[in-house]
Amino acid sequence: MITFDASLLTSYFNAKYSGTAAGGASTAGGGSSAGASKTTSPTGMATAPRAPWSDNSGMLDEGGLVSKVLSGQRFINSNAIVSDVVGASPDYTKLFTLYQGLNALEGLAQKAKDGKLSEFALSALKTRFTSGMKEVADYIDSAKYDHLDISAGLLGGSVKSDGGTARTDTLYTAPSIASGSATKAFEGDVRFSISAQKIGTHDPIVVDVDLAEMGTQTRSMSNVVSYINGKLKAAGLSTKFAVNRTPAQPVTSTLNGKTVTLSKGQDTFGLQIKGVTTEALSLSAPVTADAVYVAQTTGDPDKKITPKKTDMSATTDATSADTAKTTDVTSQLLKFQTDTSAGVALDPSSAPADPVSKVGAQYWVSGESGQTALPDTVTNIRATASGNDGSVYVLADVNGDTDGQIVSGAQDVALMKYDSAGKLVYTRALGAADTASGFALSVSADGKVAVAGSVTGALETAATRTTTYGSGKTAVSYTSTTETGLNGVDGSLSDSFVTVLDASGVEQWTQRRGATAADEATSVAFGADGSVYVGGRAQSSMPGASGKGGWDGYVMGFTADGAAKFTVQTGTANSDKVAQVAVDGDTLYVAGVNDNEVNLTSYQLSSYQTTDAKGNPLTKYAATQTGNRDLGGIGGGAISGIAIENGDIYLGGSTGNGSLLGGGGVTRAWSGGQDAFALKVSADLASTSEDTVAYYGGGGKEADAKVQFIGGKAWISGASNGDINGMARIDAGEKAQDGYIARLNLDTGAVEYQQRYTGTDGKVNPGAVAIVQNGASVLDRLGLPQGTIQQKDSTLVIAGTSARVGGQFYLVDPSTNVRKTITIEANDTLKTLAIKITRASGYKLKVDVSKMLGQQTDQLVIKPANNNSKMEIVAGPAGKDALKGLGIDPGLISNDATKLIDASSSNYLKTQKPIGLNFDGGLNLNSDANIQKALDNLQAVMKSVQRAYTYLKYGDPQEADKSKHGKTDGAVPTYLTNQISSYQAALNRLSGGAPASSTGLFGL
């Protein structure tokens, strides 16, 4: 008997079948072929034209396409496509036309990577690329195919938005304060008050908590919670406290390539407040101290790490080329409890209990009361500011989605608000389409927030009112309303912007101002009437002002509702910058560095009534210079803080010059090198005997110090690699850099408070400091916040997502090609947006607002209204696209993979195959990151076009794709079944065995 392994026949079957599609068509790609049959190609033709990406296609290569478009020829040119197959479907020509347009764009992006290009040549590339993007996008949108339904986006049966708005959350979860059963948080004098305002009542119910009332009872987590709940219940409140348990995490280490468990770890515990919507809660403490917040990075960005070994017998050289930069640099917000309250030294007997280390805190030092990790997407910490509700704001640049805010471009600006316990209250992103940086932050007395910085590329803003420009020391506004355009003067250069949000974090207005060359806003301040004043620098004339040469400083004013008031540009022929602005009554103070000299200027703010050309009442504004004073060279340093108190101006920062104020009025001497400094001069800018300057530094380098002023005292935060005022270095490593905070008395030069600390890799880099008066208390020990506990954030779309007012996207009905525009309005919520989409779709879409899984956030869910409904969601114009901010992918929403259209000329139905390109209409070449992003997207889209060609040539490739890996199910073609039966019969005759069925043989 002859034995025959059935797997040989299986292999034979796979070999035969993997090279053919249904009906015997070859699945190989390429040019013209007779392999495609009428049963597999939707065009009804066995041959297909040679594709432009195939060898010897006879069409222009990428280099030729780039030369053509740079000479002014169009990206979309169907006349350049010549088919080598007579009578081929026109779909091929349209597809190849699209491909060549994409190929030309990809070629421009490749050329933009050439670092040797001149600025002029790169600018020309950017301009042509922008034009080409519009041409290609319009063609994708307008081209109609017989057998394809090409969408710029993706395909899907439903869409869920990645961005959303907040839901009501009455559960407040505090950080863990106990590990195992023990905690120091409840030791000593622990007193605080809970205030609950019931809906419909006038006076709040106040519950005083004093753990001393527990007597000798053990102050365990459960006992303390039971005590507090008893007090709440007795007061008739529904709010309750609870214990939040976090399961233990094993402590592991890697030894000789193996993970070893060192400890099972311990459960940790913290407090929870289970509130109710009918009781608004706030917490307070009877004894407080001032709090200092430091926003910083920690970790060595240049640290070399050893890569994991792939071969455990091999050795790894940590100094070899295989080493890489660590990604362990983290951003964090530290909180310190100081020895003062409202700027006055505390009586030690009435001071709050000393802070204790929270569970998981690293490198804790005495006085540290909080440690909060900032999002991983933070790339630069720019500024911090305290709120009048005890909160702290952090302004940062981010390179990825942050707290539900979608970043549309390479980098955006994020404003993060934290309560006094370090819990994130909200995040707001600017929503720039390309790149933005936030440099300055200010909080008004009534809780408004102003953010200023720079933006490159598109940014949707409302109609912009500019100014009438005076000359000399006075600038006056005019009232004509104009549009600055999404991209400013030059979309590839940075422009200044300022955004104002109300006390709940909802954007009120945004203004963008741009010179012909680059410019940026570096400082911002509120006036008492809500006006906003912005300072910065520009490389050419700002609108309404005259440049002086090089980088100039500028200052401009806006009314409380965002109307431009004036612009003044100052400086020398060299490099100048406005670093800080402050307002006192009707006087604006501007601190800057002009050609390395510290300069203070004062302006009288005024307004007057007049009429316009039609006789209508008109208010004009002016800023008239009233004083100016040079304070000495900055010595390579920078100005980081300004304040006006009791008729004096306080200025601080870092300097390498020990002779500020001409070397007089020194109350604390310069130590040499770079020191922090704080100085005081008269508000009339006259030189007096009361002028004072004090320095803070040591034997190391104290550059880039951050300085704030409260009560005539200077608070300083910075980094040092040397000893300062008796505080020795903590880490003696060569690259080690400690963080420090200190309080200086300018009048005496005394250091009244100082603290030094270290961090990961011995490297700390403070980026900003904020002082909150009376912001520290025993509540910090418990992980609980001072002030009102916010149960609900704004439900507005422009607050919960990075979509902006005026942002747009489209709904296109594939059956009629009717396009409807959806525009984001200031008062839109997800519910109103859902109604807009439903109505604009002609009720072909079902749009719901549902809770995101595992989050207290709502999102949009968009589905076809029924099995026959189809609707395409299309991105809005470049710079105005709202889909990215909402976290919605463009594409076709349908339950059906194909659609039938009536070809009336031949009276039969044709099948259209939906193809999603995932084409990003917002691409540009404004930065290296954007160039790479453009290349990645365009190359992926070109592959999608190639797949569309494969479908036109061979039909649906699903079966062929399965067969490439060996078919294990489905029907075997009849001809192959007959062949296998014949082979098996022959084998049976040779072996004398009984015939076996093909089903038993293949298990089909």
Side-chain angles (χ1 to χ4, degrees), residues 55-71:
D55 295 334
N56 302 318
S57 66
M59 301 179 191
L60 282 176
D61 60 12
E62 184 174 274
L65 290 171
V66 168
S67 297
K68 290 288 186 181
V69 297
L70 285 178
S71 68

Side-chain angles (χ1 to χ4, degrees), residues 631 649-652 660-661 677-681 692-694 709 746:
L631 303 178
I649 300 174
Y650 293 83
L651 204 63
L660 290 173
L661 301 183
F677 79 89
L679 62 80
K680 177 182 69 173
V681 297
T692 304
V693 60
F709 298 92
L746 268 68

Side-chain angles (χ1 to χ4, degrees), residues 845-909:
L845 293 177
K846 184 177 184 293
V847 189
D848 295 317
V849 178
S850 64
K851 181 181 177 181
M852 283 188 180
L853 184 63
Q855 301 183 42
Q856 284 298 121
T857 306
D858 283 329
Q859 66 181 161
L860 288 177
V861 180
I862 308 174
K863 299 179 180 179
N866 54 61
N867 289 335
N868 297 321
S869 298
K870 299 179 189 292
M871 189 63 59
E872 185 175 3
I873 300 180
V874 179
K880 297 183 68 173
D881 175 34
L883 289 184
K884 286 187 177 180
L886 293 170
I888 297 176
D889 290 325
L892 181 67
I893 299 178
S894 170
N895 286 326
D896 190 3
T898 61
K899 74 174 184 178
L900 298 177
I901 60 171
D902 181 18
S904 56
S905 60
S906 56
N907 295 319
Y908 70 96
L909 292 179

Side-chain angles (χ1 to χ4, degrees), residues 571-919:
T572 67
N574 297 312
S575 181
D576 313 303
K577 172 184 177 180
V578 168
Q580 297 289 321
V581 294
V583 185
D584 183 29
D586 58 3
T587 303
L588 171 67
Y589 293 95
V590 178
V593 178
N594 293 344
D595 195 17
N596 203 42
E597 292 288 314
V598 180
N599 183 272
L600 265 174
T601 306
S602 61
Y603 295 89
Q604 179 71 35
L605 303 174
S606 61
S607 63
Y608 59 93
Q609 298 297 315
T610 183
T611 58
D612 62 16
K614 296 182 180 180
N616 298 315
L618 181 65
T619 301
K620 290 190 176 182
Y621 302 87
T624 305
Q625 182 177 318
T626 56
N628 182 269
R629 183 176 176 185
D630 288 331
L631 303 178
I634 193 67
I639 301 171
S640 60
I642 190 173
I644 304 163
E645 296 181 3
N646 301 320
D648 291 320
I649 300 174
Y650 293 83
L651 204 63
S654 57
T655 181
N657 175 23
S659 299
L660 290 173
L661 301 183
V666 179
T667 59
R668 184 175 181 83
W670 179 55
S671 67
Q674 284 285 328
D675 277 4
F677 79 89
L679 62 80
K680 177 182 69 173
V681 297
S682 173
D684 62 8
L685 302 187
S687 178
T688 73
S689 61
E690 301 298 320
D691 292 349
T692 304
V693 60
Y695 301 90
Y696 182 79
K701 184 177 181 181
E702 289 75 47
D704 199 23
K706 312 301 179 184
V707 183
Q708 296 290 308
F709 298 92
I710 289 184
K713 307 294 179 69
W715 282 98
I716 304 171
S717 173
S720 176
N721 61 357
D723 300 345
I724 309 177
N725 193 43
M727 289 196 306
R729 295 179 63 181
I730 298 174
D731 191 323
E734 181 181 353
K735 295 183 178 180
Q737 181 174 276
D738 298 339
Y740 67 83
I741 53 175
R743 183 178 69 244
L744 278 182
N745 184 321
L746 268 68
D747 292 333
T748 65
V751 178
E752 298 179 336
Y753 172 91
Q754 62 182 1
Q755 182 59 272
R756 191 162 183 149
Y757 59 93
T758 187
T760 306
D761 300 323
K763 191 137 188 165
V764 174
N765 186 26
V769 62
I771 315 301
V772 180
Q773 291 184 308
N774 303 310
S777 72
V778 73
L779 289 169
D780 294 332
R781 279 177 153 233
L782 310 179
L784 298 175
Q786 291 189 69
T788 301
I789 296 177
Q790 184 171 312
Q791 296 180 336
K792 188 173 184 178
D793 195 3
S794 172
T795 59
L796 294 179
V797 169
I798 61 170
T801 75
S802 57
R804 300 184 56 78
V805 173
Q808 296 178 339
F809 62 94
Y810 307 113
L811 299 181
V812 179
D813 189 333
S815 62
T816 63
N817 293 321
V818 172
R819 170 183 289 201
K820 297 291 182 68
T821 303
I822 307 294
T823 302
I824 305 297
E825 299 178 80
N827 60 349
D828 268 335
T829 64
L830 288 185
K831 290 184 178 179
T832 63
L833 189 56
I835 293 172
K836 282 184 180 181
I837 296 172
T838 300
R839 290 176 176 173
S841 72
Y843 296 91
K844 292 185 177 181
L845 293 177
K846 184 177 184 293
V847 189
D848 295 317
V849 178
S850 64
K851 181 181 177 181
M852 283 188 180
L853 184 63
Q855 301 183 42
Q856 284 298 121
T857 306
D858 283 329
Q859 66 181 161
L860 288 177
V861 180
I862 308 174
K863 299 179 180 179
N866 54 61
N867 289 335
N868 297 321
S869 298
K870 299 179 189 292
M871 189 63 59
E872 185 175 3
I873 300 180
V874 179
K880 297 183 68 173
D881 175 34
L883 289 184
K884 286 187 177 180
L886 293 170
I888 297 176
D889 290 325
L892 181 67
I893 299 178
S894 170
N895 286 326
D896 190 3
T898 61
K899 74 174 184 178
L900 298 177
I901 60 171
D902 181 18
S904 56
S905 60
S906 56
N907 295 319
Y908 70 96
L909 292 179
K910 292 182 179 180
T911 299
Q912 281 192 328
K913 178 74 172 179
I915 302 289
L917 299 178
N918 197 20
F919 174 73

Side-chain angles (χ1 to χ4, degrees), residues 541-563:
S541 297
M542 292 294 286
S546 298
K548 311 299 179 183
W551 280 100
D552 293 335
Y554 74 80
V555 63
M556 59 180 66
F558 299 93
T559 64
D561 63 355

Side-chain angles (χ1 to χ4, degrees), residues 205-550:
I205 298 173
V206 178
V207 176
D208 293 324
V209 175
D210 184 353
L211 296 193
E213 296 177 355
M214 295 178 64
T216 59
Q217 186 180 19
T218 302
R219 295 185 184 184
S220 64
M221 292 292 297
S222 58
N223 287 345
V224 169
V225 165
S226 296
Y227 160 73
I228 296 174
N229 285 339
K231 302 272 290 186
L232 293 172
K233 183 177 181 180
L237 296 176
S238 299
T239 296
K240 295 181 180 180
F241 274 58
V243 178
N244 178 53
R245 171 183 170 271
T246 302
Q249 296 294 320
V251 179
T252 63
S253 180
T254 302
L255 299 174
N256 297 322
K258 295 183 179 180
T259 301
V260 179
T261 300
L262 303 179
S263 168
K264 294 182 178 179
Q266 287 185 310
D267 293 346
T268 59
F269 302 89
L271 296 174
Q272 277 187 332
I273 302 176
K274 296 184 175 181
V276 293
T277 56
T278 56
E279 296 173 357
L281 298 179
S282 63
L283 305 180
S284 62
V287 182
T288 62
D290 291 344
V292 179
Y293 288 92
V294 179
Q296 64 179 31
T297 60
T298 179
D300 183 3
D302 298 320
K303 177 184 176 182
K304 300 297 182 181
I305 59 174
T306 302
K308 291 183 178 180
K309 299 176 183 178
T310 55
D311 179 2
M312 298 310 298
S313 64
T315 59
T316 303
D317 181 4
T319 63
S320 70
D322 292 332
T323 58
K325 287 187 177 182
T326 180
T327 57
D328 290 338
V329 174
T330 57
S331 300
Q332 57 185 189
L333 181 66
L334 302 185
K335 181 179 182 180
F336 292 88
Q337 176 181 304
T338 73
D339 60 347
T340 64
S341 179
V344 181
L346 284 172
D347 176 355
S349 64
S350 64
D354 290 336
V356 295
S357 175
K358 298 292 191 304
V359 174
Q362 294 183 315
Y363 306 102
W364 184 85
V365 294
S366 177
E368 184 182 319
S369 59
Q371 194 177 100
T372 302
L374 299 180
D376 292 339
T377 53
V378 170
T379 57
N380 288 293
I381 299 169
R382 300 294 191 176
T384 55
S386 59
N388 53 12
D389 57 355
S391 61
V392 63
Y393 296 86
V394 177
L395 183 67
D397 298 339
V398 294
N399 62 2
D401 300 347
T402 306
D403 188 35
Q405 299 277 310
I406 309 298
V407 173
S408 299
Q411 177 177 285
D412 207 351
V413 177
L415 174 69
M416 293 166 281
K417 180 179 181 180
Y418 290 88
D419 67 18
S420 65
K423 188 178 181 68
L424 185 62
V425 177
Y426 68 63
T427 300
R428 302 288 187 260
L430 176 66
D434 191 350
T435 300
S437 295
F439 295 126
L441 172 65
S442 181
V443 181
S444 69
D446 60 354
K448 292 187 180 69
V449 183
V451 173
S454 69
V455 59
T456 301
L459 178 69
E460 170 69 3
T461 61
T464 303
R465 288 162 289 191
T466 56
T467 56
T468 339
Y469 311 114
S471 59
K473 298 179 180 179
T474 303
V476 183
S477 69
Y478 73 91
T479 59
S480 62
T481 301
T482 62
E483 292 283 353
T484 61
L486 291 168
N487 294 293
V489 178
D490 186 335
S492 66
L493 298 176
S494 63
D495 286 342
S496 304
F497 82 88
V498 56
T499 294
V500 173
L501 301 91
D502 67 14
S504 62
V506 177
E507 182 182 339
Q508 300 300 288
W509 54 268
T510 294
Q511 285 282 19
R512 177 177 186 162
R513 284 290 185 273
T516 304
D519 58 276
E520 60 188 20
T522 57
S523 53
V524 63
F526 280 100
D529 62 352
S531 296
V532 178
Y533 300 92
V534 178
R537 63 176 188 159
Q539 281 189 307
S540 61
S541 297
M542 292 294 286
S546 298
K548 311 299 179 183

